[in-house]
């Protein structure tokens, strides 16, 4: 007898395998059909409601779509009830509760007529719990209690919503280009960005992008609403030189001329001593508290007497001032929040 070719052997083997697989599928089909019929017959006998539905579908097949719709609606209402009880009554913080609240309009807080949903509250709670769980056990800083943490998140959500509403009024927004730039900068600074984000906060890149967008918007609103001043100065190393420069200004010499002759600040010498724009707190960090106090107390275009800092003696002039009355963000937010009606739904 001649030897079969390798191709023939493979084809025969494949044919036998497919035949066996087909027999297995038929057997499984018969088994499932038998099980289905037994369950169906049992339900028809012991649960009259099922028999009524079957007869309804047999006599009018179109009703199956109505019944499926009713079933889906019923399940949606039931899951909504489960989510409501879990979020409000049980204070559940599970991922299941978070996922359920993503499907339902369950409010966490209301600011005027705008809502922040429970899903966002639970999402932030997850981020912070994930981060806090990695803190060393012997950490000196006392971690907030569960109630304190929930209250902090509620306060943060209210603040973010106020910022959003105020930004709309002010015409301030975050452009896609600004968001992408900030996000990519963060990404470049972190090795294994996505894995690190997941480990530290349990956060996805898209969720992190939303956090960045909220931060940028807050900073842009702050830059509009908080008092900003533009400052220039003459810096001298001795008090006598500062007094001499002050006398020259009092006699009518221009600020630029005095800067050129007296200042020891080489970085601002060519720009007439200009230090740029500042808000409350920033000058303290960059120069000193005394410098900032003097600058913010000056009237526009007026020149201070010599102010001493670790850098020397300064003559300060405010060349521009915003028309806002709020020295700090905290002042502005406190006054602005009083104009809103706030209602909290989520329990602490």
């Amino acid at each position: 007898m001649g030897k079969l070719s390798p191709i023939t052997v493979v084809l025969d083997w494949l044919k036998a395998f497919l035949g066996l697989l087909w027999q297995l599928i038929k057997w499984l089909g018969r088994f499932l059909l038998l099980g289905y019929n037994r369950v169906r017959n049992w339900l028809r006998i012991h649960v009259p409601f099922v028999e009524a539905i079957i007869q309804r579908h047999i006599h009018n097949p179109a009703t199956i779509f109505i019944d499926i719709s009713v079933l889906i609606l019923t399940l949606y209402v039931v899951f909504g009830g489960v989510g409501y009880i879990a979020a409000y009554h049980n204070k559940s913080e599970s991922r299941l509760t978070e996922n359920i609240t993503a499907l339902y309009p369950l409010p966490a807080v209301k600011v005027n007529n705008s809502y922040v949903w429970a899903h966002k509250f639970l999402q932030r709670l997850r981020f912070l719990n994930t981060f806090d769980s990695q803190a060393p056990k012997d950490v000196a800083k006392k971690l907030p209690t569960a109630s304190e943490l929930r209250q902090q998140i509620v306060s943060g959500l209210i603040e973010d919503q106020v910022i959003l509403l105020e930004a709309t009024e002010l015409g301030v927004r975050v452009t896609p280009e600004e968001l992408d730039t900030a996000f990519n900068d963060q990404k470049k600074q972190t090795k294994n960005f996505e894995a690190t984000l997941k480990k530290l906060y349990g956060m996805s890149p898209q969720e992190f992008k939303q956090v960045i967008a909220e931060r940028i918007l807050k900073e842009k609103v702050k830059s509009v609403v908080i008092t900003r001043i533009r400052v220039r100065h003459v810096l001298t190393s001795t008090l006598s030189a500062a007094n001499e420069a002050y006398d020259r200004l009092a006699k009518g010499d221009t600020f630029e001329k005095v800067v050129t002759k007296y200042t020891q600040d080489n970085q601002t010498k060519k720009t007439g001593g200009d230090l740029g724009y500042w808000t409350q707190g920033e000058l303290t960090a960059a120069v000193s508290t005394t410098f900032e106090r003097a600058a913010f107390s000056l009237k526009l275009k007026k020149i201070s007497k010599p102010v001493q800092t670790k850098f020397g003696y300064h003559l300060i002039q405010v060349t521009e001032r915003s028309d806002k009355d709020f020295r700090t963000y905290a002042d502005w937010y406190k006054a602005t929040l009083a104009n809103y009606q706030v209602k909290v739904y989520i329990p602490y």
Side-chain angles (χ1 to χ4, degrees):
M1 291 180 64
K3 259 180 126 181
L4 294 173
S5 68
I7 295 176
T8 304
V9 172
V10 171
L11 290 175
D12 287 344
W13 179 87
L14 184 60
K15 182 178 178 182
F17 174 76
L18 291 175
L20 181 62
L21 183 61
W22 176 242
Q23 291 299 323
L24 182 62
I25 291 173
K26 287 200 300 183
W27 177 84
L28 183 61
R30 285 196 297 268
F31 176 78
L32 293 175
L33 182 61
L34 179 63
Y36 168 77
N37 286 331
R38 286 184 176 179
V39 170
R40 179 184 171 187
N41 289 335
W42 187 91
L43 289 173
R44 292 180 70 173
I45 294 171
H46 296 88
V47 185
F49 176 70
V50 173
E51 172 63 17
I53 290 178
I54 292 172
Q55 292 300 323
R56 168 183 162 91
H57 293 164
I58 291 174
H59 295 297
N60 189 359
T63 57
I64 191 170
F65 299 106
I66 298 173
D67 291 342
I68 290 174
S69 300
V70 170
L71 177 62
I72 292 173
L73 181 60
T74 302
L75 290 174
Y76 184 78
V77 171
V78 169
F79 274 106
V82 171
Y84 178 88
I85 294 170
Y88 294 117
H89 294 282
N90 298 340
K91 295 185 181 180
S92 172
E93 301 174 4
S94 71
R95 196 61 186 269
L96 175 61
T97 304
E98 183 183 332
N99 290 335
I100 291 176
T101 56
L103 302 173
Y104 297 88
L106 300 175
V109 297
K110 179 184 178 185
V111 180
N112 279 4
N113 293 320
S114 63
Y115 290 91
V116 182
W117 307 112
H119 175 254
K120 190 167 187 177
F121 169 83
L122 291 172
Q123 189 183 61
R124 286 199 179 181
L125 190 58
R126 171 167 55 87
F127 296 158
L128 292 179
N129 278 330
T130 302
F131 182 78
D132 288 346
S133 68
Q134 299 172 75
K137 299 299 181 184
D138 58 344
V139 66
K141 181 181 177 182
K142 182 178 177 293
L143 294 175
T145 64
S147 179
E148 290 170 342
L149 186 60
R150 293 173 74 94
Q151 189 169 0
Q152 287 175 19
I153 293 171
V154 167
S155 298
L157 291 175
I158 294 169
E159 182 178 355
D160 287 346
Q161 197 65 14
V162 169
I163 288 287
L164 181 61
L165 294 172
E166 288 294 311
T168 303
E169 288 292 322
L170 295 167
V172 175
R173 68 186 187 92
V174 179
T175 65
E177 293 75 21
E178 289 173 327
L179 181 56
D180 288 339
T181 299
F183 178 77
N184 290 330
D185 286 345
Q186 288 285 337
K187 198 171 181 179
K188 289 174 185 175
Q189 294 173 20
T190 309
K191 291 183 178 179
N192 302 319
F193 175 73
E194 291 190 17
T196 302
L197 203 59
K198 192 75 174 175
K199 180 182 177 183
L200 287 177
Y201 299 100
M203 191 183 295
S204 70
Q206 196 58 39
E207 290 168 335
F208 183 63
K209 208 168 188 177
Q210 179 61 35
V211 171
I212 291 178
E214 290 167 350
R215 288 178 183 172
I216 296 174
L217 187 65
K218 182 176 179 179
E219 290 304 315
K220 294 186 81 168
V221 168
K222 283 170 67 175
S223 70
V224 173
V225 301
I226 301 175
T227 303
R228 297 172 77 231
I229 58 174
R230 188 172 187 176
V231 181
R232 60 181 179 179
H233 76 149
V234 181
L235 174 65
T236 64
S237 57
T238 63
L239 179 59
S240 59
N243 285 329
E244 186 179 330
Y246 184 84
D247 290 340
R248 298 307 307 171
L249 289 167
K251 290 177 181 178
D253 281 1
T254 64
F255 203 93
E256 291 80 359
K257 184 177 179 180
V258 174
V259 166
T260 301
K261 183 175 181 180
Y262 290 96
T263 194
Q264 302 296 309
D265 185 355
N266 293 324
Q267 291 184 340
T268 64
K269 193 169 189 175
K270 293 182 179 179
T271 59
D274 183 43
L275 293 171
Y277 294 92
W278 302 83
T279 59
Q280 188 90 5
E282 294 177 340
L283 279 169
T284 291
V287 188
S288 75
T289 302
T290 53
F291 187 102
E292 179 173 286
R293 191 180 297 124
F296 273 91
S297 63
L298 279 172
K299 292 183 179 180
L300 196 63
K301 304 298 183 181
K302 294 295 184 180
I303 298 170
S304 72
K305 291 289 184 70
V307 176
Q308 186 178 10
T309 71
K310 64 180 180 180
F311 300 103
Y313 295 87
H314 308 258
L315 302 180
I316 307 167
Q317 184 184 50
V318 175
T319 58
E320 294 179 34
R321 190 185 193 97
S322 66
D323 59 355
K324 305 298 178 184
D325 297 326
F326 299 106
R327 293 287 183 88
T328 67
Y329 170 75
D331 292 338
W332 171 82
Y333 180 66
K334 182 179 179 181
T336 304
L337 182 62
N339 297 326
Y340 286 90
Q341 292 183 334
V342 177
K343 183 174 178 61
V344 178
Y345 297 92
I346 206 79
Y348 298 154

